[in-house]
Structure formats: structure tokens, C-alpha cells
Amino acid sequence: MLLETKLIFEILFWHFFEFPKKIIQVTKNFLKFSFYHFSIFDLLKTLFAPWRGYVWVKTKRGFDLGEILEVFASNLISRILGALARIFIIFFGIFFSFLILIFGILSFFFWIFSPLIFVLLFLYGIFRILH
């Protein structure tokens, strides 16, 4: 009798204390992975860097207004494209991280309340059979 009581308390301790810690730890690890995979902080640091490092430079000697404007416009377009691509990836990474967080919270609460859900569904099934 004492062994069964101890086993029940160990199962309850595992269910309500140890495994929820694991769920939180796994959720944190997935969030760290998503921020690392999408390089969100690195992309924020280099938000206005040129796209793929494409930079135009003036090649002719002397003052050539046409070439100066062409180089300026090309570099501006390269930086705008880089910023747009990085913003898209940042938003996608944040959205993915948000989904991970929501899934982690839902799995945590589902795990905590699963015994109650099981008992309620069992009683509901018996009630449906009897009526």
C-alpha cells in the first residue's frame, strides 16, 4: 500500500512539476532556434546594408554627373532591396516565433489540465451512453 501511494505521488509530481518544466525548456529552445535560424538580430543590425553586398563605384576619373547619379541610384536601389528583403525575413521569423510561443503555451496548459479533461470526457461519455 505504501509503495502504491508513493508511486501515485511520484506520478503526480512528474505530471505537474517535472514535465511542465520540460515543456517550458523545449519552448525556449525552439524560440532560440527560430531567432538563430532567421538571424533576426543580425538582420536588424544590417537592415540598410546593400543587397548581397552589391555596391557600385565611380570608375571614370573627373566629374561626371551622369555617372555619379547612376552610382547613387544603383546603391540606393540596392539598399532599398536589401532592407525590404530583410524586413520580410524579420517579420516571417517573428511570426514563426509567435506561433512557437502560442503552441508552447497551449501545450503547457493542455498538459496541466489533461487529467481533468480526461475525467470530464469520460463522464460525458458515460452520461451519453446512459441517456
Side-chain angles (χ1 to χ4, degrees), residues 6-21:
K6 183 180 177 194
L7 182 64
I8 289 173
F9 282 120
E10 285 181 9
I11 290 172
L12 290 175
F13 182 77
W14 173 81
H15 184 85
F16 289 109
F17 293 102
E18 288 182 15
F19 200 76
K21 287 180 188 176

Side-chain angles (χ1 to χ4, degrees), residues 66-93:
E67 186 183 16
I68 291 172
L69 290 176
E70 179 183 346
V71 167
F72 175 75
S74 299
N75 286 330
L76 182 65
I77 290 170
S78 179
R79 290 181 186 273
I80 290 171
L81 285 176
L84 289 175
R86 288 178 182 95
I87 287 171
F88 175 75
I89 294 170
I90 288 169
F91 280 134
F92 189 75

Side-chain angles (χ1 to χ4, degrees), residues 3-126:
L3 184 62
E4 289 121 8
T5 306
K6 183 180 177 194
L7 182 64
I8 289 173
F9 282 120
E10 285 181 9
I11 290 172
L12 290 175
F13 182 77
W14 173 81
H15 184 85
F16 289 109
F17 293 102
E18 288 182 15
F19 200 76
K21 287 180 188 176
K22 290 286 186 188
I23 293 174
I24 292 170
Q25 182 183 17
V26 166
T27 304
K28 283 182 184 178
N29 287 339
F30 272 113
L31 284 172
K32 286 179 186 176
F33 166 76
S34 69
F35 272 79
Y36 175 77
H37 181 70
F38 290 103
S39 304
I40 292 175
F41 296 119
D42 292 335
L43 289 176
L44 284 172
K45 289 177 189 175
T46 62
L47 185 61
F48 292 108
W51 175 246
R52 295 189 171 194
Y54 294 155
V55 178
W56 285 261
V57 293
K58 189 172 173 292
T59 57
K60 297 178 186 173
R61 294 186 70 181
F63 181 76
D64 185 3
L65 184 60
E67 186 183 16
I68 291 172
L69 290 176
E70 179 183 346
V71 167
F72 175 75
S74 299
N75 286 330
L76 182 65
I77 290 170
S78 179
R79 290 181 186 273
I80 290 171
L81 285 176
L84 289 175
R86 288 178 182 95
I87 287 171
F88 175 75
I89 294 170
I90 288 169
F91 280 134
F92 189 75
I94 289 173
F95 176 72
F96 187 72
S97 299
F98 180 73
L99 289 179
I100 290 172
L101 183 65
I102 294 298
F103 184 74
I105 290 171
L106 288 175
S107 61
F108 177 80
F109 283 113
F110 179 75
W111 182 261
I112 293 294
F113 293 113
S114 61
L116 178 64
I117 293 169
F118 176 74
V119 168
L120 291 176
L121 288 175
F122 184 75
L123 292 175
Y124 177 73
I126 290 175

